[in-house]
Amino acid sequence: MALLICVPGPVLAESCFCAIPSFLPSDSQAARDYADIIRGDFEDYIQDIQSYFRCLDGERARAFEEAREVSEEYGRFLQLVGD
């Protein structure tokens, strides 16, 4: 464990925040009265959820690369100590 703490390198995980679903009132009159606001909320949600998916994809790629590098370092460690 101490070896992993001492290994230099960036460890910058990105925080991905999920979009908040839009609210659709059950009252049809309220939906008509606030149609422009509700439409905008749904469009914002769609943009936000797409950004969230891109963030998750980026974080997944970063984590895989980190895991590959750590695995290689572990292999070098095992060779160093003769295991």
Side-chain angles (χ1 to χ4, degrees):
M1 182 59 94
L3 177 68
L4 293 177
I5 293 171
C6 297
V7 174
V11 181
L12 302 173
E14 186 173 348
S15 295
C16 301
F17 298 100
C18 190
I20 298 172
S22 303
F23 172 74
L24 180 60
S26 57
D27 177 16
S28 61
Q29 184 59 48
R32 283 191 292 278
D33 291 344
Y34 298 102
D36 291 337
I37 294 170
I38 295 168
R39 185 177 295 110
D41 286 348
F42 274 97
E43 290 170 0
D44 288 345
Y45 172 81
I46 291 167
Q47 289 177 357
D48 291 348
I49 200 69
Q50 289 172 345
S51 294
Y52 176 66
F53 290 146
R54 283 190 296 276
C55 179
L56 290 176
D57 288 344
E59 178 56 16
R60 182 177 183 272
R62 185 209 62 79
F64 270 108
E65 179 61 21
E66 179 183 271
R68 185 192 62 73
E69 291 171 0
V70 169
S71 294
E72 289 175 0
E73 289 175 2
Y74 185 55
R76 286 191 293 274
F77 165 74
L78 291 177
Q79 287 177 346
L80 181 68
V81 297
D83 282 353

